[in-house]
Amino acid sequence: MRDSPDFTIGYHLPGKNPRPEKDHDLNNVAPSGGINSSARDMAQWIRLILGWGVLDGKRLISDAGFHQLITPGIGHYALGWEILDVDGHKTLISEGGAVGHAARATVDLDAGTGWAVLANVNNVREFRQIANFIDRSLRPMREISLWRAPTNAAVVFLWLAFLVLAGVVVGRAKRGRRRSRGFNCNHPTRPLLRRAIMIWIGSAFLAGVFFALSSFMAAAP
Protein backbone atom coordinates (compact mmCIF):
# COMPACT_ATOMS: atom_id res chain seq x y z
CA MET A 1 0.00 0.00 0.00
CA ARG A 2 2.82 2.40 0.81
CA ASP A 3 4.19 1.84 -2.70
CA SER A 4 1.02 3.24 -4.22
CA PRO A 5 1.65 6.58 -6.02
CA ASP A 6 -1.26 8.24 -4.21
CA PHE A 7 -0.52 6.88 -0.74
CA THR A 8 -1.23 9.48 1.94
CA ILE A 9 0.78 9.71 5.14
CA GLY A 10 -1.29 10.37 8.25
CA TYR A 11 -0.39 13.22 10.58
CA HIS A 12 -0.72 13.86 14.25
CA LEU A 13 -1.38 17.44 15.30
CA PRO A 14 0.28 18.40 18.61
CA GLY A 15 -0.42 22.12 18.58
CA LYS A 16 1.01 23.90 15.56
CA ASN A 17 3.70 21.33 14.74
CA PRO A 18 2.19 18.45 12.77
CA ARG A 19 4.35 15.35 12.48
CA PRO A 20 3.86 12.11 10.56
CA GLU A 21 1.91 9.50 12.47
CA LYS A 22 3.56 6.16 13.12
CA ASP A 23 2.30 2.97 11.51
CA HIS A 24 -0.16 1.08 13.69
CA ASP A 25 -1.43 -2.45 13.23
CA LEU A 26 -5.19 -2.10 13.75
CA ASN A 27 -6.31 -5.36 12.18
CA ASN A 28 -7.56 -6.75 15.48
CA VAL A 29 -9.54 -3.66 16.51
CA ALA A 30 -10.38 -1.75 13.33
CA PRO A 31 -14.00 -1.78 12.11
CA SER A 32 -14.94 -2.52 8.50
CA GLY A 33 -12.24 -5.14 8.34
CA GLY A 34 -9.52 -2.50 8.60
CA ILE A 35 -9.98 -1.66 4.91
CA ASN A 36 -7.88 1.20 3.53
CA SER A 37 -9.62 2.98 0.71
CA SER A 38 -9.35 6.01 -1.58
CA ALA A 39 -11.51 8.93 -2.66
CA ARG A 40 -12.37 7.09 -5.89
CA ASP A 41 -13.48 3.99 -3.97
CA MET A 42 -15.54 6.13 -1.60
CA ALA A 43 -17.30 7.72 -4.57
CA GLN A 44 -18.17 4.28 -5.92
CA TRP A 45 -19.45 3.19 -2.51
CA ILE A 46 -21.66 6.30 -2.26
CA ARG A 47 -23.02 5.60 -5.75
CA LEU A 48 -23.91 2.09 -4.62
CA ILE A 49 -25.77 3.42 -1.58
CA LEU A 50 -27.59 6.04 -3.66
CA GLY A 51 -28.60 3.24 -6.04
CA TRP A 52 -30.13 1.32 -3.13
CA GLY A 53 -27.75 -1.56 -3.70
CA VAL A 54 -27.48 -1.20 -7.49
CA LEU A 55 -24.34 0.08 -9.25
CA ASP A 56 -24.16 0.63 -13.02
CA GLY A 57 -27.32 -1.38 -13.50
CA LYS A 58 -26.09 -4.39 -11.52
CA ARG A 59 -27.52 -5.29 -8.12
CA LEU A 60 -24.69 -5.94 -5.68
CA ILE A 61 -26.75 -5.91 -2.48
CA SER A 62 -30.11 -7.62 -2.28
CA ASP A 63 -33.10 -5.41 -1.68
CA ALA A 64 -33.73 -7.05 1.70
CA GLY A 65 -30.08 -6.74 2.64
CA PHE A 66 -29.98 -3.07 1.71
CA HIS A 67 -33.04 -2.23 3.78
CA GLN A 68 -31.44 -4.05 6.69
CA LEU A 69 -28.31 -1.96 6.10
CA ILE A 70 -30.20 1.32 6.56
CA THR A 71 -32.69 0.22 9.24
CA PRO A 72 -31.74 1.44 12.74
CA GLY A 73 -31.23 -1.31 15.28
CA ILE A 74 -30.10 0.60 18.38
CA GLY A 75 -31.27 4.18 18.63
CA HIS A 76 -30.57 5.76 15.23
CA TYR A 77 -27.60 3.52 14.46
CA ALA A 78 -27.86 0.92 11.68
CA LEU A 79 -25.16 -1.26 10.10
CA GLY A 80 -22.30 1.22 9.97
CA TRP A 81 -24.58 4.21 9.36
CA GLU A 82 -26.27 6.76 11.55
CA ILE A 83 -29.77 7.23 10.18
CA LEU A 84 -30.92 10.80 10.73
CA ASP A 85 -33.78 13.02 9.63
CA VAL A 86 -32.19 16.20 8.26
CA ASP A 87 -34.73 18.77 7.08
CA GLY A 88 -37.17 15.97 6.36
CA HIS A 89 -34.66 13.93 4.33
CA LYS A 90 -33.50 10.46 5.27
CA THR A 91 -29.77 10.99 5.71
CA LEU A 92 -27.02 8.45 6.32
CA ILE A 93 -23.82 9.56 8.06
CA SER A 94 -20.72 7.55 8.88
CA GLU A 95 -17.72 9.14 10.57
CA GLY A 96 -14.45 7.64 11.68
CA GLY A 97 -10.98 6.98 10.32
CA ALA A 98 -7.70 5.45 11.38
CA VAL A 99 -4.73 6.74 13.32
CA GLY A 100 -3.61 9.82 11.42
CA HIS A 101 -6.63 9.82 9.13
CA ALA A 102 -10.24 10.97 9.40
CA ALA A 103 -13.29 10.53 7.20
CA ARG A 104 -16.96 11.32 7.01
CA ALA A 105 -19.44 10.08 4.43
CA THR A 106 -22.90 11.61 4.07
CA VAL A 107 -25.71 10.28 1.87
CA ASP A 108 -29.06 12.02 1.41
CA LEU A 109 -31.26 9.23 0.08
CA ASP A 110 -34.26 11.46 -0.60
CA ALA A 111 -32.28 14.08 -2.53
CA GLY A 112 -30.12 11.49 -4.28
CA THR A 113 -26.86 13.18 -3.27
CA GLY A 114 -23.84 12.03 -1.31
CA TRP A 115 -20.32 13.12 -0.53
CA ALA A 116 -17.27 12.14 1.49
CA VAL A 117 -14.68 14.25 3.32
CA LEU A 118 -11.25 12.65 3.80
CA ALA A 119 -8.24 14.08 5.62
CA ASN A 120 -4.76 12.85 6.55
CA VAL A 121 -5.03 14.08 10.14
CA ASN A 122 -6.59 12.58 13.23
CA ASN A 123 -10.28 13.14 13.82
CA VAL A 124 -9.66 16.51 15.44
CA ARG A 125 -11.93 19.50 15.97
CA GLU A 126 -10.69 21.27 12.84
CA PHE A 127 -11.61 18.31 10.66
CA ARG A 128 -15.09 18.09 12.17
CA GLN A 129 -15.63 21.82 11.64
CA ILE A 130 -14.62 21.53 7.98
CA ALA A 131 -16.82 18.44 7.53
CA ASN A 132 -19.77 20.25 9.14
CA PHE A 133 -19.27 23.24 6.85
CA ILE A 134 -19.20 20.99 3.77
CA ASP A 135 -22.29 19.14 4.97
CA ARG A 136 -24.22 22.40 5.35
CA SER A 137 -22.99 23.69 1.99
CA LEU A 138 -23.94 20.58 0.00
CA ARG A 139 -27.29 19.84 1.55
CA PRO A 140 -30.31 20.76 -0.58
CA MET A 141 -31.61 24.23 0.16
CA ARG A 142 -34.83 24.46 2.07
CA GLU A 143 -37.89 25.61 0.19
CA ILE A 144 -38.17 29.34 0.85
CA SER A 145 -41.56 31.00 0.93
CA LEU A 146 -42.17 33.90 -1.46
CA TRP A 147 -43.36 35.85 1.57
CA ARG A 148 -39.97 35.64 3.32
CA ALA A 149 -38.30 38.61 1.61
CA PRO A 150 -41.17 41.12 1.96
CA THR A 151 -41.85 39.97 5.52
CA ASN A 152 -38.21 40.43 6.51
CA ALA A 153 -38.24 43.87 4.89
CA ALA A 154 -41.39 44.80 6.82
CA VAL A 155 -39.88 43.62 10.11
CA VAL A 156 -36.68 45.59 9.52
CA PHE A 157 -38.71 48.68 8.61
CA LEU A 158 -40.81 48.39 11.75
CA TRP A 159 -37.77 48.04 14.00
CA LEU A 160 -36.09 51.01 12.35
CA ALA A 161 -39.28 53.02 12.81
CA PHE A 162 -39.36 52.01 16.47
CA LEU A 163 -35.74 53.07 16.98
CA VAL A 164 -36.40 56.44 15.30
CA LEU A 165 -39.55 56.94 17.36
CA ALA A 166 -37.73 56.03 20.57
CA GLY A 167 -34.93 58.46 19.69
CA VAL A 168 -37.41 61.26 19.05
CA VAL A 169 -39.26 60.59 22.30
CA VAL A 170 -36.04 60.49 24.31
CA GLY A 171 -34.85 63.72 22.70
CA ARG A 172 -38.11 65.49 23.47
CA ALA A 173 -38.02 64.17 27.02
CA LYS A 174 -34.55 65.63 27.53
CA ARG A 175 -35.64 68.97 26.12
CA GLY A 176 -38.71 68.85 28.33
CA ARG A 177 -36.57 68.31 31.41
CA ARG A 178 -34.37 71.23 30.52
CA ARG A 179 -37.40 73.45 29.98
CA SER A 180 -39.02 72.34 33.22
CA ARG A 181 -35.87 73.18 35.11
CA GLY A 182 -35.66 76.57 33.39
CA PHE A 183 -39.26 77.48 34.10
CA ASN A 184 -39.32 75.78 37.51
CA CYS A 185 -42.32 73.66 36.55
CA ASN A 186 -44.24 72.22 39.47
CA HIS A 187 -44.98 68.84 37.80
CA PRO A 188 -42.11 67.96 35.43
CA THR A 189 -42.64 64.20 35.78
CA ARG A 190 -46.11 64.00 34.23
CA PRO A 191 -45.08 64.49 30.58
CA LEU A 192 -42.13 62.16 31.11
CA LEU A 193 -44.45 59.51 32.53
CA ARG A 194 -46.78 59.85 29.55
CA ARG A 195 -43.86 59.49 27.16
CA ALA A 196 -42.59 56.42 29.02
CA ILE A 197 -46.06 54.85 28.81
CA MET A 198 -46.20 55.60 25.08
CA ILE A 199 -42.80 53.99 24.59
CA TRP A 200 -43.91 50.83 26.38
CA ILE A 201 -47.15 50.67 24.42
CA GLY A 202 -45.27 51.20 21.16
CA SER A 203 -42.72 48.54 22.06
CA ALA A 204 -45.45 46.03 22.91
CA PHE A 205 -47.24 46.83 19.65
CA LEU A 206 -44.13 46.42 17.54
CA ALA A 207 -43.18 43.20 19.34
CA GLY A 208 -46.65 41.83 18.64
CA VAL A 209 -46.41 42.80 14.98
CA PHE A 210 -42.97 41.19 14.78
CA PHE A 211 -44.15 37.87 16.19
CA ALA A 212 -47.29 37.94 14.06
CA LEU A 213 -45.26 38.51 10.90
CA SER A 214 -42.80 35.79 11.91
CA SER A 215 -45.63 33.31 12.44
CA PHE A 216 -47.23 34.30 9.17
CA MET A 217 -43.95 33.89 7.31
CA ALA A 218 -43.39 30.43 8.80
CA ALA A 219 -46.91 29.32 7.84
CA ALA A 220 -46.98 30.94 4.39
CA PRO A 221 -46.92 28.47 1.50
Side-chain angles (χ1 to χ4, degrees):
M1 183 178 65
R2 280 186 170 274
D3 295 332
S4 174
D6 59 352
F7 175 77
T8 302
I9 298 174
Y11 284 87
H12 181 60
L13 292 174
K16 298 181 179 179
N17 301 312
R19 65 171 182 263
E21 188 65 74
K22 298 178 180 179
D23 288 334
H24 298 270
D25 184 1
L26 303 176
N27 290 331
N28 62 332
V29 295
S32 305
I35 297 174
N36 291 280
S37 189
S38 64
R40 185 183 301 275
D41 289 340
M42 289 298 299
Q44 295 293 86
W45 173 245
I46 290 174
R47 289 182 59 210
L48 175 66
I49 299 301
L50 289 174
W52 292 71
V54 177
L55 180 64
D56 295 331
K58 183 178 181 180
R59 177 164 288 281
L60 302 179
I61 304 175
S62 68
D63 185 66
F66 185 82
H67 280 84
Q68 184 180 7
L69 179 72
I70 63 172
T71 300
I74 301 177
H76 52 77
Y77 194 77
L79 297 180
W81 292 101
E82 287 185 87
I83 314 299
L84 303 176
D85 184 309
V86 180
D87 296 333
H89 288 199
K90 188 170 186 176
T91 304
L92 283 57
I93 297 178
S94 180
E95 183 176 271
V99 179
H101 294 83
R104 180 190 294 180
T106 304
V107 177
D108 187 332
L109 288 177
D110 292 328
T113 58
W115 54 91
V117 185
L118 310 177
N120 59 335
V121 294
N122 290 321
N123 191 3
V124 292
R125 180 185 60 185
E126 290 79 5
F127 167 77
R128 293 192 296 272
Q129 290 175 340
I130 292 174
N132 290 338
F133 174 78
I134 294 175
D135 274 356
R136 290 192 297 267
S137 300
L138 296 180
R139 285 175 186 166
M141 294 182 63
R142 296 181 181 179
E143 294 183 4
I144 300 177
S145 170
L146 296 176
W147 291 98
R148 184 177 296 275
T151 303
N152 285 339
V155 170
V156 171
F157 173 78
L158 287 173
W159 277 112
L160 289 176
F162 166 72
L163 292 176
V164 172
L165 177 62
V168 171
V169 171
V170 171
R172 288 183 176 180
K174 290 181 178 179
R175 289 196 296 271
R177 283 199 298 269
R178 287 196 295 266
R179 289 176 182 175
S180 64
R181 291 171 183 172
F183 290 100
N184 195 20
C185 181
N186 294 329
H187 301 285
T189 59
R190 290 182 179 177
L192 295 179
L193 180 61
R194 287 196 296 269
R195 293 189 183 96
I197 293 174
M198 291 301 297
I199 290 176
W200 281 107
I201 293 175
S203 301
F205 172 76
L206 289 175
V209 172
F210 172 78
F211 287 113
L213 288 174
S214 299
S215 301
F216 173 78
M217 181 176 63

